[in-house]
Amino acid sequence: LFNIRWASWIAVGLFAVSPVQIYYAPEVRAYSLWIVLVLLMHVTLLRAMQRSQWQDWGLYAFSTTLALYTNIFSAFILFGNVIYVGLIERFRLTRTTIAYTLSASIAVLAFTPWLIALVTHLEQMRRATAWMNQRIPIKEAIKTALLN
C-alpha cells in the first residue's frame, strides 16, 4: 500500500482479527477445499490422459473420491469429465476411455457407502435442512446482511 511495508502488515493484522472474517471463515473453508479438490481432479485427469499410466489414473480416482466426499455436487463435475473424455476420444472405445471408466467407477464405488447412508437417512436430512425452504422478507435479508 503506497510502498509502505508496515502499512501492509497493519492491514493484514486488522483483516486477521476482523469479526466479519472470523464469523464467515467456517462457511468459506469447505468451499475452498472443494475448489482445490476439483482443480486437483482436473489436473490429475489431464495428466492421466497425457501419460496414460495406471498411477495417474489412480490419482484421478483418489482425487475424485475426495471431491465427492467433500461436496455432493462433485457428481456434476464428474459428469462433465465423462463428457470431456468422450469428446476428446470421439466417443470411441479406446485405452483412455477404458482407463477413465475404470478410475471413475472406482471413485463412485468408494463413495457408495456415503450414498447408502444418504438414502437411508433421507428423511432426517430433509428435516435438518427444512430451514432452507423458509422465505425471508427482503428487508430482513438486507438488515441481516448489513449487520453481519
Side-chain angles (χ1 to χ4, degrees):
L1 185 66
F2 307 114
N3 284 333
I4 302 172
R5 190 167 177 83
W6 61 267
S8 62
W9 283 108
I10 290 174
V12 167
L14 290 172
F15 185 78
V17 296
S18 168
V20 173
Q21 297 303 319
I22 292 169
Y23 180 78
Y24 284 112
E27 293 182 29
V28 176
R29 194 173 299 132
Y31 294 111
S32 300
L33 175 62
W34 184 47
I35 289 169
V36 168
L37 290 173
V38 167
L39 287 173
L40 184 63
M41 270 176 69
H42 291 314
V43 167
T44 54
L45 174 63
L46 292 175
R47 181 176 172 170
M49 289 178 73
Q50 282 179 342
R51 295 177 37 170
S52 195
Q53 294 181 356
W54 68 269
Q55 295 95 336
D56 296 321
W57 289 110
L59 283 174
Y60 174 72
F62 183 69
S63 63
T64 302
T65 303
L66 289 177
L68 285 168
Y69 271 101
T70 302
N71 193 322
I72 191 78
F73 290 135
S74 299
F76 294 119
I77 307 294
L78 184 61
F79 181 69
N81 287 347
V82 168
I83 293 170
Y84 174 75
V85 171
L87 287 172
I88 293 297
E89 296 298 315
R90 293 176 171 52
F91 296 100
R92 292 176 295 164
L93 190 62
T94 63
R95 183 178 171 156
T96 301
T97 313
I98 293 168
Y100 176 77
T101 303
L102 183 62
S103 61
S105 299
I106 289 170
V108 171
L109 191 63
F111 187 64
T112 302
W114 182 244
L115 285 176
I116 292 169
L118 187 66
V119 171
T120 305
H121 298 95
L122 194 58
E123 189 54 40
Q124 182 180 355
M125 184 189 72
R126 284 188 183 141
R127 281 194 310 268
T129 58
W131 62 272
M132 296 170 131
N133 293 328
Q134 293 177 350
R135 297 210 180 252
I136 300 173
I138 190 72
K139 287 182 182 178
E140 174 111 14
I142 291 171
K143 180 182 170 186
T144 303
L146 290 176
L147 294 177
N148 281 335

